[in-house]
């Protein structure tokens, strides 16, 4: 396992503050497979950046009840 894989594995599932200048977003890091990592950014429901991304993705403009994304 190389250094980057060890670093990513140590952060698997971590909640990392930041990721958006417009809201109090946080990021989660997930190791999918060795060498493949996904980072999700979790915006606040009211975030203007998040709202601008919704129509472009083909998803409804309003987040699901409870703020699920």
């Amino acid at each position: 396992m190389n250094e980057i894989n060890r670093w990513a594995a140590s952060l698997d599932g971590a909640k990392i503050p930041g990721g958006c200048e417009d809201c109090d977003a946080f990021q989660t890091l997930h190791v999918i497979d060795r060498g493949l990592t996904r980072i999700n950014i979790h915006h606040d429901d009211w975030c203007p950046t998040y709202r601008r991304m919704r129509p472009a993705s083909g998803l409804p403009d309003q987040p699901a009840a409870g703020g699920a994304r």
Side-chain angles (χ1 to χ4, degrees):
M1 182 182 280
N2 68 32
E3 200 62 34
I4 292 173
N5 288 337
R6 275 193 289 277
W7 172 81
S10 72
L11 291 174
D12 190 28
K15 184 176 175 179
I16 304 164
C20 180
E21 294 179 2
D22 293 326
C23 72
D24 190 27
F26 65 92
Q27 303 168 61
T28 53
L29 188 140
H30 304 278
V31 176
I32 307 301
D33 197 1
R34 203 171 91 203
L36 180 62
T37 303
R38 179 182 73 216
I39 298 174
N40 292 346
I41 300 175
H42 304 266
H43 295 269
D44 293 321
D45 291 340
W46 53 264
C47 175
T49 298
Y50 172 66
R51 294 213 175 255
R52 282 192 305 272
M53 289 187 292
R54 298 295 289 188
S57 69
L59 297 171
D61 190 33
Q62 297 296 320
R69 318 186 248 306

